[in-house]
Amino acid sequence: MAASSRAQVLDLYRAMLRESKHFSAYNYRTYAVRRIRDAFRENKNVKDPVEIQALVNKAKRDLGIIRRQNAVKIAPTQRPRGIPTESVRNQQ
Amino acid sequence: MLLRTAWRRAAAAVPVAPGPNSTAPTRGLRLRGTLRALLAATVPAGADLPPWRGDAPEYYTASLFLVDHATQSDVPSATATPPQAESELRPLYMDVQATTPLDPRVLDAMIPYLVNYYGNPHSRTHAYGWESEAAMEHARQQVASLIGADPREIIFTSGATESNNIAIKELESAIQPDTSLVSVMTVNNEIGVKQPIAEIGRICSSRKVYFHTDAAQAVGKIPLDVNDMKIDLMSISGHKIYGPKGVGAIYIRRRPRVRVEALQSGGGQERGMRSGTVPTPLVVGLGAACEVAQQEMEYDHKRISKLAERLTQKIMKSLPDVVMNGDPEHHYPGCINLSFAYVEGESLLMALKDVALSSGSACTSASLEPSYVLRAIGTDEDLAHSSIRFGIGRFTTEEEVDYTVEKCIHHVKRLREMSPLWEMVQDGIDLKSIKWTQH
């Protein structure tokens, strides 16, 4: 398989960021966006094509994970009983 | 070319691409076929990994997870609409020492074993058992490689508490001259202090004494090697490292052999040391959490140190009379225990109601006594009552830290305004010189 081109890597980067923004949980969303940015930035100067391909493959697997996790509706739908429904922060 | 994940459009438009894993069981649900095609087109053709590594997407159907009874929306919208879940606000989570959220990568690894590959790993006669056992052994390898152990030295338990009990039980009664076992927490869960494990290990092995450490808060966060540190027994907890609750492991050294007695008897699973069916989904989660922790350890440590520095600097700069409990040099940055003088800890916690915090260990929080840890390090009674523990983890953001700091400063100032002790201190009275009358 030919080594990934710069354009492919950038496409992958954009796709991962796009998918990460769909996480409904704030902490997962911010972590995914931040981690993806930092990981791509850190590996910016890798020259070895074998290593690049390994990194790209891992990124594609992670993209799959993000997509699958977004497909699972993990948002709290049934509020636990006994907890008041008004937003806590608005009481400040 | 990357596809949009709008299910209805995809169902109509996507051509059925040949999936890379044609050996995986097909169950004939129409929507699943569409999903397979959809996701198969995004899995690179070279990635031929066994299905239990979570790469084969066939285990999902969209219909299984369309649970939104409250709002009656029927399609999991992965389009560009903003997520609706956050319309209901919940407190910020700053209590990672109590428990941690699941990392999405861990959940992704677990779901196949909750939904499809649900066999009992001890069933020897069919594929369900074999695949479940293979997953269990893979998870065992993942846990072992995080701590530099051999997979045969890892026994799965229900958590660090059970592991601790197994470790201590038999060895207490073993016949040894003086001590038979030294048991130390690697990273304290209340003040975050790191114990000098390597030194203790060296001393124990030279005196031929067993060394056990409860590494629940340390595994995956600081580098640990059971051979370098001469550890004989180690307790590991799943839910402290972004894994599932209800699972843990105990590391039991094989060379030289450490003998322990089983706590629960039964079918002899886990080499007879812990009977009971091993919960495959949970141990797969634990294994995945350990693998993720190994990869992310350096990055997380750097980030958490930075955030911890930010939190303590901001608080100490804006508030006088704040003490950080625990040795600042040998300290895990993600656990910050601060005592705010002249402010009662519980009232500060109540005031900070939109941040989830704790004042001391969750396992002892029901009692009103000040923490035994703080008492042990010689903290004054009054300061021990005013301590708050801030937990910073992998998913903590800078905004959360800033918000917590701001609220904390605001409420400490407000509570101090109300405090007569603070007034006296401002007037220059030395509180220790006061003779409180007794009624």
Side-chain angles (χ1 to χ4, degrees):
Chain A
M1 184 173 162
S4 297
S5 67
R6 184 170 185 278
Q8 283 177 310
V9 171
L10 283 177
D11 270 348
L12 186 55
Y13 177 62
R14 271 191 288 266
M16 289 183 86
L17 284 182
R18 208 168 35 230
E19 290 297 321
S20 298
K21 299 202 167 110
H22 296 314
F23 270 116
S24 51
Y26 165 78
N27 288 102
Y28 289 163
R29 195 165 61 239
T30 50
Y31 176 75
V33 167
R34 178 177 57 234
R35 188 72 187 95
I36 291 165
R37 274 205 196 115
D38 288 345
F40 274 81
R41 207 157 281 167
E42 190 185 319
N43 293 316
K44 193 165 57 169
N45 295 319
V46 172
K47 294 280 178 257
D48 174 24
V50 172
E51 204 184 324
I52 292 177
Q53 197 52 49
L55 290 168
V56 164
N57 287 342
K58 178 162 191 313
K60 285 184 172 160
R61 276 203 295 273
D62 288 340
L63 177 58
I65 291 177
I66 298 172
R67 284 208 167 118
R68 280 195 296 273
Q69 291 307 306
N70 283 334
V72 179
K73 194 91 174 163
I74 311 237
T77 49
Q78 298 285 6
R79 197 155 178 47
R81 296 195 179 281
I83 313 240
T85 49
E86 318 97 272
S87 127
V88 172
R89 257 182 230 137
N90 287 343
Q91 286 169 9
Q92 284 282 325
Chain B
M1 170 159 158
L2 299 161
L3 301 166
R4 306 262 177 276
T5 49
W7 300 115
R8 294 225 172 92
R9 265 185 283 149
V14 167
V16 177
N21 285 324
S22 51
T23 50
T26 48
R27 298 278 165 85
L29 284 171
R30 269 180 300 126
L31 195 52
R32 182 189 284 245
T34 312
L35 171 59
R36 237 179 105 184
L38 176 70
L39 291 174
T42 63
V43 173
D48 285 326
L49 292 168
W52 58 75
R53 303 262 179 108
D55 292 290
E58 291 90 2
Y59 49 75
Y60 274 57
T61 48
S63 58
L64 266 182
F65 298 102
L66 296 174
V67 192
D68 200 350
H69 303 300
T71 64
Q72 286 297 308
S73 70
D74 49 3
V75 178
S77 150
T79 56
T81 56
Q84 306 136 313
E86 297 297 305
S87 58
E88 162 220 304
L89 291 180
R90 298 176 71 226
L92 301 180
Y93 193 70
M94 297 283 291
D95 201 14
V96 284
Q97 279 72 33
T99 190
T100 52
L102 271 185
D103 192 297
R105 292 164 281 199
V106 169
L107 181 60
D108 194 76
M110 287 171 72
I111 289 187
Y113 298 95
L114 290 163
V115 178
N116 273 339
Y117 305 119
Y118 47 77
N120 185 319
H122 312 292
S123 298
R124 298 198 159 284
T125 57
H126 48 69
Y128 287 93
W130 305 328
E131 64 202 5
S132 194
E133 187 190 1
M136 176 177 80
E137 293 308 320
H138 179 66
R140 206 185 295 275
Q141 169 64 52
Q142 287 169 318
V143 175
S145 83
L146 180 61
I147 58 173
D150 186 281
R152 290 168 294 183
E153 297 172 314
I154 303 285
I155 305 288
F156 288 119
T157 60
S158 66
T161 305
E162 188 186 341
S163 302
N164 287 339
N165 277 281
I166 293 177
I168 296 176
K169 187 170 178 245
E170 172 71 352
L171 297 176
E172 264 183 326
S173 55
I175 302 163
Q176 295 275 324
D178 262 317
T179 328
S180 57
L181 169 73
V182 167
S183 176
V184 162
M185 224 182 208
T186 323
V187 168
N188 186 280
N189 59 336
E190 289 194 37
I191 55 181
V193 161
K194 294 196 292 209
Q195 302 296 350
I197 295 293
E199 281 81 48
I200 300 175
R202 211 170 17 89
I203 296 173
C204 283
S205 90
S206 66
R207 305 273 180 91
K208 300 273 187 294
V209 167
Y210 289 129
F211 179 36
H212 164 255
T213 180
D214 181 351
Q217 298 284 352
V219 166
K221 302 194 176 124
I222 57 173
L224 285 177
D225 188 298
V226 292
N227 293 314
D228 289 345
M229 298 174 172
K230 305 216 182 351
I231 296 172
D232 296 312
L233 293 148
M234 185 197 277
S235 302
I236 297 167
S237 173
H239 72 114
K240 301 287 163 59
I241 54 173
Y242 311 95
K245 295 174 185 52
V247 70
I250 178 169
Y251 160 77
I252 303 174
R253 180 174 283 281
R254 286 177 85 241
R255 294 219 167 87
R257 187 168 289 276
V258 175
R259 299 217 169 273
V260 294
E261 191 182 292
L263 272 186
Q264 54 190 59
S265 56
Q269 286 86 358
E270 295 293 279
R271 301 168 199 276
M273 293 204 230
R274 200 268 178 184
S275 295
T277 303
V278 171
T280 308
L282 293 177
V283 306
V284 165
L286 175 62
C290 287
E291 188 170 299
V292 171
Q294 200 168 14
Q295 290 162 3
E296 302 286 342
M297 203 188 301
E298 200 188 312
Y299 176 86
D300 281 347
H301 194 272
K302 223 173 10 188
R303 224 187 120 255
I304 289 173
S305 305
K306 221 171 41 154
L307 286 177
E309 188 64 28
R310 189 185 176 93
L311 187 143
T312 36
Q313 284 307 313
K314 281 192 159 188
I315 290 186
M316 300 261 193
K317 225 171 36 182
S318 322
L319 291 174
D321 297 308
V322 177
V323 174
M324 181 161 113
N325 298 309
D327 184 347
E329 238 186 76
H330 299 104
H331 184 253
Y332 170 66
C335 175
I336 302 163
N337 192 305
L338 298 174
S339 283
F340 300 92
Y342 321 114
V343 170
E344 219 279 320
E346 292 295 324
S347 55
L348 182 55
L349 277 187
M350 293 296 117
L352 289 169
K353 59 184 174 227
D354 46 356
V355 182
L357 287 168
S358 155
S359 69
S361 166
C363 33
T364 58
S365 60
S367 74
L368 289 173
E369 279 185 25
S371 137
Y372 71 98
V373 174
L374 293 179
R375 251 195 307 208
I377 62 174
T379 313
D380 283 337
E381 276 277 328
D382 49 342
L383 274 187
H385 273 289
S386 8
S387 72
I388 304 280
R389 176 186 70 188
F390 298 87
I392 298 179
R394 182 184 292 164
F395 299 106
T396 312
T397 64
E398 207 174 277
E399 283 92 7
E400 286 177 324
V401 167
D402 288 345
Y403 182 86
T404 305
V405 162
E406 187 194 309
K407 288 290 159 183
C408 186
I409 293 173
H410 168 78
H411 286 293
V412 166
K413 283 189 174 149
R414 192 179 60 86
L415 287 169
R416 279 178 174 169
E417 290 300 308
M418 295 196 288
S419 162
L421 288 178
W422 177 247
E423 253 184 68
M424 291 198 274
V425 165
Q426 300 296 77
D427 293 337
I429 303 172
D430 175 21
L431 293 183
K432 300 237 181 292
S433 65
I434 297 176
K435 293 214 177 6
W436 303 102
T437 53
Q438 286 171 326
H439 295 279

